[in-house]
Amino acid sequence: MNQVYFGTIESYTDLGLMLSEVETGTPEPKRTVIEVPGMNGVLDPTRHIYQDIFYQNRNIRLTFAMANYQNQWMELFSGITSKIHGRYFQVRIEPDLDYYWDAFCKVDTEKSDKNKGIVVVSLDAFPFKRKMEETSYDVIASSVGRSQICMNSRMKVVPSFYASDSGISVSFGDVVHELTAAVEMTFPDIMFAEGENEILVTGTAGTVTVTYREGSL
């Protein structure tokens, strides 16, 4: 039996809820379209202006069957709403436990059914599910520069860099930044896109740890 984890709260173990259906849907892309008379279709400048496509939050609906609900509906339902309704959680859904959703949780009283012991929980979730484990690369600095390919999923991310020694720099395309030893650093102009992202680590000694959290639609 699959469970849903609302932070550390387990849907069956802690709430007595048996997961019966998951509807994740797809997040709506944010687009600006312009109707141009005399032109087929529409003009969509979104991609050209922002160099990316952004998304609305994702609506996820979780349907549960409540165990032993006869004659205890009000007490059990109240306990469930007290623990998860109107709260933000990192939500994990079995069997996809390598990822989590950042989500606002709402117990949907209109869709829940006390006569059948059905409880419906709606999630207003960040459009990308994120990996539980961060992706990390250790790169040994070289005086001539050492290249490292960093693979990334669909969501663009800003990685962090941690240098073990001073005198180390990191390059990404035309961007070059000096790193401070033993300080975790991020740079807004170093952003990993989907696929291969090449960095170059230059220095006479030491190691740079590159860390980021991937996200998928």
Side-chain angles (χ1 to χ4, degrees):
M1 178 182 61
N2 291 337
Q3 288 205 87
V4 177
Y5 297 80
F6 301 93
T8 59
I9 300 171
E10 301 179 13
S11 59
Y12 182 74
T13 305
D14 299 321
L15 304 177
L17 297 175
M18 297 175 287
L19 182 64
S20 59
E21 186 177 5
V22 178
E23 298 176 60
T24 58
T26 55
E28 185 69 22
K30 295 180 178 180
R31 298 176 64 208
T32 300
V33 297
I34 302 172
E35 295 282 353
V36 180
M39 187 187 84
N40 291 318
V42 295
L43 184 64
D44 184 355
T46 308
R47 170 177 66 159
H48 303 291
I49 295 175
Y50 300 107
Q51 304 301 309
D52 200 4
I53 297 296
F54 298 95
Y55 298 89
Q56 304 285 354
N57 269 10
R58 181 191 297 258
N59 296 316
I60 300 174
R61 187 164 72 177
L62 307 172
T63 303
F64 299 93
M66 183 188 292
N68 303 318
Y69 68 93
Q70 293 88 348
N71 302 319
Q72 301 182 70
W73 169 264
M74 290 303 296
E75 178 183 352
L76 294 173
F77 191 77
S78 177
I80 293 164
T81 54
S82 293
K83 290 181 178 178
I84 66 173
H85 181 68
R87 292 183 173 178
Y88 284 94
F89 292 101
Q90 287 186 358
V91 179
R92 294 182 296 144
I93 305 171
E94 284 185 333
D96 193 23
L97 294 182
D98 290 336
Y99 291 86
Y100 68 88
W101 302 96
D102 275 318
F104 179 79
C105 300
K106 175 184 174 183
V107 178
D108 194 329
T109 55
E110 292 185 0
K111 293 184 173 62
S112 298
D113 188 339
K114 68 178 181 179
N115 296 316
K116 297 179 181 179
I118 300 299
V119 177
V120 176
V121 177
S122 298
L123 306 181
D124 183 18
F126 187 73
F128 292 90
K129 61 179 182 180
R130 295 183 172 103
K131 280 189 175 181
M132 289 295 296
E133 297 291 334
E134 290 184 312
T135 300
S136 182
Y137 296 90
D138 290 325
V139 188
I140 299 173
S142 168
S143 59
V144 295
R146 189 177 301 277
S147 175
Q148 173 66 53
I149 299 296
C150 300
M151 299 301 299
N152 186 43
S153 300
R154 177 73 178 269
M155 184 179 72
K156 289 186 174 181
V157 293
V158 174
S160 67
F161 300 91
Y162 182 92
S164 63
D165 295 77
S166 59
I168 299 177
S169 66
V170 60
S171 304
F172 181 70
D174 296 329
V175 175
V176 181
H177 286 287
E178 296 291 331
L179 303 179
T180 302
V183 176
E184 188 173 278
M185 307 181 73
T186 59
F187 308 100
D189 51 0
I190 297 183
M191 179 178 290
F192 289 170
E194 181 181 16
E196 297 183 353
N197 297 270
E198 184 177 10
I199 61 170
L200 192 68
V201 175
T202 305
T204 56
T207 301
V208 172
T209 300
V210 188
T211 306
Y212 54 98
R213 193 179 301 278
E214 297 183 65
S216 300
L217 282 178

